[in-house]
Amino acid sequence: FPGDWRVLRGLTQPQLGVAAGISTTMVGAIERGEAELSEQTARALADALSVNETELRAAYRRARNRPTGTPA
């Protein structure tokens, strides 16, 4: 899930939001798969997390498609 990349980098949601130029609320919504991941946001998050954008999008799809009740 996208939040795993953040945790592995030792970042909080607010820190990642600042680094990517998006709100903490949006970071959380993307990590839970509740918000759409735009091209610009995917690029910014991938850059801030030092991961490939394709890997970030795959993690996002897993969060988006997880069974109901499964924590993100």
Side-chain angles (χ1 to χ4, degrees):
F1 298 130
D4 295 338
W5 289 113
R6 176 181 55 77
V7 171
L8 287 170
R9 301 298 187 264
L11 297 171
T12 63
Q13 287 182 346
Q15 289 170 327
L16 178 56
V18 168
I22 63 174
S23 71
T24 302
T25 302
M26 182 58 82
V27 171
I30 289 169
E31 288 183 357
R32 293 185 301 275
E34 296 171 353
E36 291 296 324
L37 184 61
S38 70
E39 284 291 322
Q40 180 180 354
T41 301
R43 207 169 311 119
L45 286 171
D47 288 347
L49 292 167
S50 299
V51 298
N52 181 296
E53 190 177 332
T54 302
E55 292 179 75
L56 179 73
R57 287 188 172 284
Y60 170 76
R61 280 191 300 279
R62 284 192 298 277
R64 194 120 169 120
N65 296 321
R66 75 186 187 287
T68 304
T70 303

